[in-house]
Amino acid sequence: MNVEINRLLEGLNDRQREAALAADGPVLVVAGPGTGKTKTLTVRLAYLLAEQQVAPEALLAVTFTTRAAREMRERLERLVGSQADRVCLGTFHSLCFQLLRAEGHRLDLPRDFGVVDRRDQVTMMQRALRRLGQPDNAAQRRLHDVSAFRHRQATVDPPAEDAGLAEVSEAYQRQLRKCDLLDFDELLLLCVRLLERCADVRENLQQRFAHVLVDEYQDVDPVQQQLLRLLVGDRNHLWAVGDGDQAIYAFRGAESEHLLRFEQSYPNGRIVTLEQSYRFTPQIAAVASQVIRRNVSRRSLALNTVNPCGLPVHVVSFPDEQAEAAWIVRQIEERVGGTSHYQHYKGKVADTVSRRDQSFRDFAVLCRLHALTKPLQEALRNSGIPHRVVGEARFFDKKIVKDVLAYLRVIQNPHDDSSFAHVLNRPPRGIGGQTHAALEAEAEQHGLSLCAVLGRSVRLSSSQMRAAKSLMKLIEDVQQNKEEKPLSQFIAYVADFTGLREWRMEQDLRHESDLLLLRSIAAKYDEVNTETALRQFLEEATLAVAVDDYDASIDAVSLMTIHAAKGLEFSEVMLCGVEEGSLPRENGDLEEERRLLYVGLTRAKERAHLLHCRSRFLFGTRRDREASRFLLECDESLKETTVISSRPRRSKQEPDQLSLLG
């Protein structure tokens, strides 16, 4: 083994090295939290490039979030330099997007198809339901039903009761195709169909990708599993890393059973287990292990660490959610240095706590549902503690950002009805909701797009017709000037030329910073011709998920769901709502509920707090709550328990808002 490879392997333990250097063939790496799975995967890629002399273009690595793919590429670039740029590395959806762009004509897809935004899917479904004469107020639920129906069609014989869903699915798909759009499910399903039907495409890909590597293998659903089989082929050069104990995405179709069946699926497969965690204290490792070992459907994994001993896992019982929020604020204040409005009000700022031993970014508050954090958000605002709610909304869904993206999509494809409907009256042009609805009905009647019907509609008044023609002229002018500017400058031009920037600035000056950030994201495409840059940028914006927005450099307390926190780590984690009915959820699968607690607990590096309320107001109702049964599943010697007594009556001299923190 040469000196260069020895350098790559420095810092890997024996199991990590075994996984990174494994011989060709199916390999499953079972990696517990904090055991260095991303590091091992990137060293595996570097080893194949440097030692095995595999061409970068012959390597395919897939994961589930743009954030994870970006981190992987950055690590690989540090190891092998510019070769990293030539490795095919991205999410399942981005891979399928690229394949369908290249070969989708085999399935009669338009070459320049777009991908409908997740929120605009609801609009498309509403139109489909109205077309069928069905009420459109259940569009979100019908989308979920259609998604499940499509996956059943792809993997098993559909049951008879799916007949009604087939009609809805077809009507919804017609709405998408009228606008030259696919949705997220179709990216995967149509890619599988392409590879199954077109042997030459399948064989070319199997020849191209000598090695297929998969991150977060436990989250693969049956359609993605079939896609991997088609890509890997008979050579079985599959290298996958995952942890069944962190399988928490059953609600979106993931089935972690393929980890348990790996030997049956790949009889010549090899399994390597990573059990040495570098993330957390022995106490956190022990509690997490004691909780998760109660699950029956799992691969045994003995999580351990050589990190120094820390504090016991802290279990805290509160009378209600207001006391819980106040306690969290006090804990953060004490760690960071007591400099908030609340501490000044109470006279608690002193030299002994004024230095910042920790940063706000070191803290995360995790919960099962965003709704559980509402009282805490109010308390944090009152205290002046900087915080952000991660995963609740994407940056690409912010108002001016969504406006600009809609214009860019219309510039690229004027028949994208969802985007055209968005720009129709932004800024206001006198085309209100009733006129918009009439235009949509007219478009439906004649089988035309909104853009096509706009110039010939008899529903518009003379002033509205002038506004419509002005909009069409504006879009044509912008299209003609597209190639004259790099993408970041083109975005600024669109925002100004359409009047969006001035209109949004009049509402809130903070839109300016969102527009600047959008331009900075687009700047990485400035060296590419604008047509290609626009297509790639819109792909990134569409396929991004909310958790991709997480930025570890921002000094703020993070509030997020356990699902959004997977893959992240924080010095101190406070896990709220560890109560019967929340965690575990009522009638939920107990093994998956236990995995949720395991994932939440193992985000903590130094200190973990498991919090529960004896009474909680949620979704308009106050109910008595019991502590989660999971809290009884670990030794008392590993826990420290605190019971916060019920609050005394509030003093009349205490201001209302600050009383939440007292």
Side-chain angles (χ1 to χ4, degrees), residues 612-631:
H612 65 91
C613 292
R614 302 187 291 275
S615 169
R616 189 182 292 276
F617 186 82
L618 189 63
F619 302 129
T621 304
R622 177 164 295 283
R623 293 182 178 177
D624 291 339
R625 316 280 281 191
E626 293 183 6
S628 171
R629 69 192 76 182
F630 298 151
L631 295 177

Side-chain angles (χ1 to χ4, degrees), residues 378-641:
E378 182 180 356
L380 289 169
R381 282 193 297 270
N382 292 336
S383 72
I385 291 176
H387 61 283
R388 46 158 171 200
V389 182
V390 179
E392 193 171 36
R394 302 184 313 153
F395 166 74
F396 289 114
D397 286 327
K398 291 195 171 185
K399 288 182 179 179
I400 194 169
V401 174
K402 196 167 177 64
D403 293 341
V404 171
L405 291 175
Y407 269 101
L408 294 177
R409 290 190 177 102
V410 169
I411 290 162
Q412 186 186 48
N413 173 17
H415 300 294
D416 179 342
D417 273 7
S418 290
S419 298
F420 200 91
H422 187 94
V423 306
L424 190 60
N425 204 40
R426 288 184 176 87
R429 296 183 175 88
I431 304 176
Q434 289 185 342
T435 306
H436 182 184
L439 287 169
E440 282 193 344
E442 191 173 352
E444 282 287 338
Q445 180 182 353
H446 297 289
L448 298 172
S449 67
L450 271 175
C451 175
V453 83
L454 193 63
R456 49 171 281 182
S457 176
V458 297
R459 312 278 182 114
L460 299 179
S461 66
S462 57
S463 62
Q464 289 173 330
M465 182 59 75
R466 285 194 299 271
K469 289 182 178 179
S470 175
L471 173 61
M472 299 300 294
K473 180 66 166 58
L474 181 149
I475 292 170
E476 290 173 6
D477 289 346
V478 173
Q479 286 174 325
Q480 291 174 2
N481 292 322
K482 184 166 54 177
E483 293 298 334
E484 296 180 3
K485 301 173 177 63
L487 184 60
S488 61
Q489 292 181 25
F490 181 66
I491 286 174
Y493 165 70
V494 169
D496 287 330
F497 190 71
T498 60
L500 274 176
R501 182 176 178 277
E502 181 180 1
W503 177 56
R504 285 299 190 191
M505 293 310 122
E506 289 174 356
Q507 299 167 5
D508 191 333
L509 293 176
R510 287 176 294 184
H511 289 307
E512 178 71 22
S513 61
D514 291 336
L515 183 59
L516 288 172
L517 180 53
L518 181 68
R519 292 184 60 195
S520 71
I521 294 171
K524 64 185 175 185
Y525 298 102
D526 279 353
E527 301 303 317
V528 185
N529 74 77
T530 307
E531 182 69 37
T532 303
L534 180 58
R535 186 178 68 248
Q536 293 176 345
F537 175 65
L538 289 176
E539 175 194 346
E540 176 184 348
T542 302
L543 299 181
V545 294
V547 295
D548 286 330
D549 292 338
Y550 175 76
D551 184 348
S553 67
I554 297 174
D555 192 20
V557 176
S558 295
L559 280 61
M560 64 180 79
T561 64
I562 299 171
H563 289 99
K566 194 155 79 71
L568 302 178
E569 61 182 25
F570 303 89
S571 295
E572 193 158 344
V573 167
M574 300 168 184
L575 189 54
C576 294
V578 189
E579 303 153 4
E580 292 294 311
S582 294
L583 191 62
R585 179 172 54 89
E586 190 174 356
N587 299 321
D589 180 292
L590 272 182
E591 296 219 345
E592 175 140 349
E593 298 296 308
R594 195 175 278 112
R595 290 194 292 269
L596 275 165
L597 178 60
Y598 178 80
V599 168
L601 185 59
T602 55
R603 300 312 92 196
K605 295 192 292 184
E606 298 172 10
R607 192 84 203 270
H609 308 269
L610 305 179
L611 315 180
H612 65 91
C613 292
R614 302 187 291 275
S615 169
R616 189 182 292 276
F617 186 82
L618 189 63
F619 302 129
T621 304
R622 177 164 295 283
R623 293 182 178 177
D624 291 339
R625 316 280 281 191
E626 293 183 6
S628 171
R629 69 192 76 182
F630 298 151
L631 295 177
L632 303 176
E633 296 181 352
C634 53
D635 294 344
E636 290 298 321
S637 61
L638 298 170
K639 299 183 294 187
E640 172 193 356
T641 301

Side-chain angles (χ1 to χ4, degrees), residues 26 70 93 171 184 199 221 265 277 323 367 464 470 488 490 572 586 610 644:
R70 183 170 56 244
H93 287 95
F184 286 81
D221 66 28
S265 301
S277 181
C367 55
Q464 289 173 330
S470 175
S488 61
F490 181 66
E572 193 158 344
E586 190 174 356
L610 305 179
I644 307 297

